Amino acid sequence: MSSNCEFLWYIPNDVKPGHRGDSAVENHNSLEALTSHARALENHGWKGALIGTGWGRPDTFTVAAALAARTTTFEPLIAIRPGYWRPAHFASAAATLDQLSGGRVRVNIVSGKDNLAAYGDSEGDQAHRYGRTKEFMRLTRKLWTEQNVTYDGEHFRVSESTAAPRIEPRGKRLHPKLYFGGASDAAERVSATEADVQLFWGEPLADIAERISRLKALSRDLDRDLPPLEFGLRITTLVRDTTEQAWIDAEAKVAEMAKNKGVGWNDHRQSIAVGQKRLFDLAARGDVLDDNLYTAPGKFGGGGAGTTWLVGSAEDVASSLRKYRDLGITHFVLSDTPYLAEIKRQGEQLLPLLRGHLSA
């Protein structure tokens, strides 16, 4: 892969142990346990990790701040929701953490369904939801890059607002990158104009190529006034010493999911969005697509990045990720369970192949 490719992991952020087959150990979400994940990522070549969000889970920003304080290079990709945060409040909080951490903040804007009433939020139809998200992203970026900002939108307003501390430009990085997902027409229009990185889940290569082409065309049609949209892949990577062993273990995991009715895997099934439905529908096209994209988990409880898996030896999985790179993917957010053990295994077996051969 080229030198501009980045590799992040996933740190579970849940009050319940055993997320997606993770080891159900005592104090699984203690500061010590989560710090062990972040430090393992630093020690095994990863750039950082996505930390998920949702009402009923530990507050993502608080977890990210604690882990940033316990590490030196680890970069948290902090998932946040408009409505849970207001733009000026979030811009100031993120700028503060960015300054304290030496420029290590990344942000994943999430607009999917949540228990809004529990924290006093409300939103209307899809147009309202994505209209609000678009304004949130636009205003947050303005507050990071401009001073004395006055903004009077449909959803948010500020007057003579200057977020402090100021974001310090670091080379080409003028502010934390804003990652965004979503596959509906409304979501893609927001991404095409406001996101820095569009995150995809694990779809087949041809499907990803079609979506990249559409997003590039949308960026032109909607007069995007930001640097070109970048693209990322969030996917499960099941890596073993041999291809045969990887498939034995993958099929055993899916059999366990079927037996337990997907307990611990259902965090994206409460309200199935367009992107999630696309993943579930892949199983009708076959249990294995492309070379090693395993769709069977989606039949029994896989959700989000747990719906489709790249399965194989480190060489098999690296070869598949290389093909996504060739389509224009430069941000990779990988994971498998048990999370801590796989940080080490894939850091030692997979990342050297990606860094070696993907620069070719």
Side-chain angles (χ1 to χ4, degrees):
M1 284 190 174
S2 62
S3 59
N4 67 335
C5 289
E6 297 182 338
F7 303 96
L8 289 85
W9 192 252
Y10 176 82
I11 288 183
N13 181 32
D14 206 321
V15 296
K16 299 176 183 177
H19 182 258
R20 292 184 183 166
D22 195 17
S23 302
V25 298
E26 188 177 359
N27 297 322
H28 69 101
N29 66 342
S30 68
L31 180 55
E32 288 70 25
L34 296 177
T35 297
S36 71
H37 288 229
R39 288 180 175 165
L41 289 163
E42 288 186 321
N43 293 333
H44 289 84
W46 302 91
K47 191 79 171 176
L50 170 64
I51 306 174
T53 190
W55 187 251
R57 301 168 77 169
D59 178 73
T60 310
F61 199 93
T62 305
V63 172
L67 295 182
R70 289 270 186 116
T71 54
T72 56
T73 63
F74 168 79
E75 299 189 11
L77 175 52
I78 307 168
I80 65 106
R81 292 177 182 272
Y84 183 93
W85 291 89
R86 294 187 65 81
H89 179 203
F90 177 72
S92 176
T96 300
L97 182 56
D98 199 63
Q99 184 261 322
L100 292 173
S101 67
R104 288 190 275 146
V105 169
R106 299 163 183 249
V107 179
N108 181 31
I109 306 291
V110 179
S111 285
K113 296 293 186 181
D114 195 20
N115 189 1
L116 305 180
Y119 53 88
D121 188 23
S122 62
E123 58 187 26
D125 57 14
Q126 185 188 65
H128 178 275
R129 177 156 51 102
Y130 282 107
R132 184 173 74 165
T133 297
K134 177 181 174 67
E135 281 193 15
F136 185 98
M137 296 169 77
R138 175 65 48 153
L139 180 51
T140 296
R141 186 183 281 106
K142 286 176 73 69
L143 289 162
W144 281 341
T145 58
E146 301 175 20
Q147 299 187 47
N148 300 316
V149 174
T150 295
Y151 182 92
D152 187 9
E154 180 181 351
H155 306 279
F156 302 111
R157 284 159 292 283
V158 298
S159 180
E160 296 296 310
S161 180
T162 299
R166 303 303 299 155
I167 294 285
E168 179 184 340
R170 299 171 186 272
K172 294 182 179 180
R173 180 191 186 267
L174 301 181
H175 56 76
K177 284 188 183 293
L178 294 178
Y179 293 66
F180 187 67
S184 67
D185 290 343
E188 289 192 341
R189 291 176 72 85
V190 172
S191 192
T193 57
E194 305 302 328
D196 296 311
V197 181
Q198 163 77 35
L199 274 181
F200 302 115
W201 279 329
E203 297 186 42
L205 292 160
D207 297 45
I208 295 289
E210 189 272 333
R211 292 191 63 193
I212 288 175
S213 177
R214 184 167 64 251
L215 282 161
K216 287 182 175 179
L218 269 175
S219 293
R220 293 190 297 268
D221 294 345
L222 298 175
D223 296 323
R224 178 183 174 91
D225 58 359
L226 301 171
L229 182 62
E230 301 172 29
F231 302 101
L233 181 69
R234 169 73 185 104
I235 193 169
T236 294
T237 44
L238 193 151
V239 173
R240 297 294 184 267
D241 291 341
T242 66
T243 302
E244 180 182 27
Q245 189 60 53
W247 282 106
I248 289 172
D249 287 2
E251 290 170 359
K253 272 195 174 188
V254 168
E256 188 68 16
M257 291 166 63
K259 175 182 173 183
N260 295 329
K261 297 181 171 58
V263 172
W265 292 77
N266 294 324
D267 48 343
H268 283 271
R269 285 180 176 264
Q270 297 173 5
S271 177
I272 298 178
V274 173
Q276 182 63 76
K277 185 177 186 305
R278 286 173 65 98
L279 293 188
F280 286 146
D281 289 347
L282 291 176
R285 291 158 57 178
D287 280 356
V288 182
L289 303 177
D290 293 339
D291 297 322
N292 56 341
L293 183 67
Y294 194 32
T295 69
K299 298 178 182 179
F300 304 108
T307 312
T308 57
W309 309 346
L310 288 176
V311 176
S313 66
E315 291 79 5
D316 297 334
V317 174
S319 175
S320 295
L321 293 175
R322 229 171 276 138
K323 293 173 183 176
Y324 286 103
R325 182 281 316 267
D326 291 342
L327 297 179
I329 303 289
T330 55
H331 299 260
F332 294 85
V333 185
L334 313 179
S335 68
D336 191 23
T337 55
Y339 291 111
L340 183 57
E342 290 303 317
I343 287 169
K344 299 173 183 178
R345 184 209 301 267
Q346 297 193 31
E348 292 171 357
Q349 296 184 11
L350 180 62
L351 286 190
L353 294 178
L354 297 176
R355 294 214 170 85
H357 295 289
L358 295 179
S359 60

